[in-house]
Amino acid sequence: MKKMALLSIFFPLFFSLFFPIQSAQAAQRQITILSDIFHRELNGKFTNDSLAQSISVKGGLYFTVANASPQSMWVIDPQLIEEISDMADGYKVLPSSEGQYSQSAQEFLQLLKLKIGKNQIFALSYGSPNIAARAKISEIELAKLQSVSSLRLARVLNLPVSAGLPTGFTPNTSLPSNKAKNDFAILHKTLNKIAQITNDPEVAEVALRSNALLNPKLSRKEAQYLSISLNGAIDRLEKKVKVLPGQYTLTSTNEKIPVTVVNEFNAPAEVILILKANSARIVIDTAKKVTLSENSRKQILISAKAVANGKVRVEARLETDKGARYGEANYLEFSISMIGPVITWVMAGAGILLVSASGIQIYRRTRKKVVINK
């Protein structure tokens, strides 16, 4: 009983000494999250001014920052801060209106840095995609995405950003729509093929921005809009490397024909040129590795052997070095008018016979006229 009495005296004292420390640590672990959907197209224009309203006084994001705990840790989507930074420098709203909230963006960034102070900052994955959905496509890419996101956030805030995410942080478990996931998977596949042939930074930027399609906060309409925008951008990227169509005439058995491949990227590109004839009238090189300098075009000499006269169409397409078909095919049109040695002798003999026959006929007519005149 005496032991129980002593415990009843000392335990509350022990509790009061220990748990204030724990409470202080808990307070330090409060987390403020800054995240939103995309507001900016790939060309830099803003789709509307909803972000401007959110960062203005009484707006949702402004309220979150203004009321954050002084000891809060910060978890921030770099896409959001980059968009606000773009607004601060002056911006346009589709279709071509001048943005009116640059001053609000500047004031919001000043407030954010003031509230952050010396507190720890962490980066959400760029565009705030659902982590599970992104990891399902590639866990390795997700790890790289997290690293790039930290670098981008540190650069735009000009503040140190910690790696990873804070202990106790619970990611948004809401899932993007199946349509958004399917669209992302298709775009992701094409982007990977483009990345296999060139390391142009524009490709990496579009790939980074595409992660916003997996943000579960997107409405169906917003996801569809972003998907169409990304698809157009990726289609334009893919067409920067292509093989040009051509027309050729072959008049001999073996010839070298020039096939032109174009690279419009600001970085070197490497592809495999594949040629396939639709007729046995021609035998042609089937594959050539092509290395292109940035913003260049190159003529590749291809060996062609004519077998028979006629018209031939040859499919010309590109592949990556991993064998994936790249872009759309073009066609080379051949007109073969080859005259072989046997045909040449036959035609020459026929010509000689024709000339001889004509000479004989002229001689006979001349003799006949002479006889009549006599």
Side-chain angles (χ1 to χ4, degrees):
M1 293 295 293
K2 289 182 178 180
K3 288 182 179 180
M4 292 295 293
L6 288 171
L7 284 173
S8 65
I9 294 171
F10 286 107
F11 185 78
L13 179 62
F14 175 80
F15 186 91
S16 64
L17 290 173
F18 178 75
F19 276 92
I21 297 173
Q22 296 297 313
S23 299
Q25 290 176 346
Q28 291 176 354
R29 292 181 181 276
Q30 289 183 11
I31 298 172
T32 300
I33 303 170
L34 289 183
S35 172
D36 205 350
I37 65 168
F38 80 99
H39 298 279
R40 184 181 49 161
E41 287 202 334
L42 292 165
N43 61 14
K45 290 185 179 181
F46 284 72
T47 56
N48 52 50
D49 250 340
S50 61
L51 178 59
Q53 295 164 7
S54 186
I55 63 174
S56 299
V57 178
K58 297 182 180 180
L61 287 170
Y62 187 95
F63 180 85
T64 299
V65 173
N67 290 278
S69 166
Q71 303 300 324
S72 178
M73 291 187 295
W74 294 78
V75 180
I76 304 173
D77 182 351
Q79 176 181 259
L80 172 63
I81 305 305
E82 286 184 355
E83 288 183 345
I84 298 171
S85 181
D86 278 355
M87 291 179 65
D89 293 336
Y91 65 105
K92 288 187 179 294
V93 180
L94 290 175
S96 58
S97 303
E98 290 292 336
Q100 303 298 315
Y101 291 86
S102 293
Q103 184 65 33
S104 297
Q106 295 170 17
E107 292 172 356
F108 179 87
L109 291 173
Q110 291 171 0
L111 174 65
L112 176 60
K113 290 184 178 181
L114 180 65
K115 296 292 290 187
I116 289 174
K118 295 183 178 180
N119 292 320
Q120 204 169 9
I121 309 170
F122 298 87
L124 285 170
S125 293
Y126 198 98
S128 299
N130 175 270
I131 298 300
R134 191 62 183 87
K136 188 174 181 180
I137 291 173
S138 173
E139 291 186 0
I140 295 175
E141 288 182 7
L142 178 61
K144 291 180 180 178
L145 173 60
Q146 186 61 44
S147 177
V148 170
S149 298
S150 297
L151 292 172
R152 295 280 286 246
L153 183 60
R155 184 176 66 186
V156 70
L157 284 176
N158 197 25
L159 292 171
V161 175
S162 300
L165 292 168
T167 303
F169 173 74
T170 303
N172 188 346
T173 56
S174 300
L175 291 173
S177 68
N178 289 332
K179 178 70 165 56
K181 289 189 286 186
N182 291 337
D183 287 351
F184 180 85
I186 294 170
L187 297 174
H188 176 265
K189 184 177 180 180
T190 305
L191 279 167
N192 271 356
K193 284 195 290 187
I194 301 173
Q196 287 175 28
I197 70 165
T198 183
N199 61 357
D200 191 296
E202 187 180 3
V203 180
E205 182 66 20
V206 174
L208 182 67
R209 298 279 291 274
S210 68
N211 288 285
L213 190 56
L214 295 178
N215 187 330
K217 292 182 180 178
L218 287 177
S219 68
R220 182 178 178 181
K221 184 177 180 180
E222 289 164 341
Q224 183 180 25
Y225 181 92
L226 180 57
S227 178
I228 293 171
S229 176
L230 288 168
N231 190 68
I234 293 170
D235 187 54
R236 288 190 293 273
L237 286 176
E238 189 177 38
K239 289 179 179 176
K240 286 193 172 189
V241 176
K242 54 185 175 288
V243 55
L244 298 183
Q247 293 184 339
Y248 308 88
T249 300
L250 300 185
T251 57
S252 60
T253 303
N254 295 291
E255 291 193 27
K256 294 283 188 179
I257 60 167
V259 179
T260 304
V261 183
V262 176
N263 174 28
E264 296 175 352
F265 282 113
N266 294 320
E270 191 171 271
V271 289
I272 309 297
L273 173 63
I274 304 293
L275 300 172
K276 184 179 180 182
N278 69 349
S279 168
R281 288 192 180 98
I282 190 172
V283 177
I284 197 163
D285 285 349
T286 56
K288 284 272 188 178
K289 190 171 186 177
V290 183
T291 301
L292 300 145
S293 302
E294 62 271 18
N295 294 304
S296 68
R297 60 176 56 204
K298 193 172 189 177
Q299 284 193 331
I300 314 302
L301 290 178
I302 302 296
S303 297
K305 181 178 181 180
V307 177
N309 292 343
K311 302 285 187 181
V312 181
R313 169 178 271 198
V314 174
E315 181 189 44
R317 59 184 174 83
L318 301 175
E319 289 186 357
T320 70
D321 59 359
K322 294 183 179 180
R325 187 168 182 139
Y326 182 89
E328 296 180 355
N330 265 317
Y331 292 91
L332 312 178
E333 306 289 346
F334 286 85
S335 178
I336 304 173
S337 55
M338 176 193 66
I339 302 176
V342 174
I343 298 175
T344 301
W345 282 109
V346 171
M347 292 184 69
I352 292 170
L353 290 173
L354 182 61
V355 171
S356 300
S358 298
I360 292 169
Q361 189 175 9
I362 292 170
Y363 174 75
R364 286 176 177 175
R365 287 177 181 174
T366 304
R367 285 290 304 272
K368 188 176 181 180
K369 286 180 179 179
V370 172
V371 171
I372 293 172
N373 290 332
K374 286 182 178 181

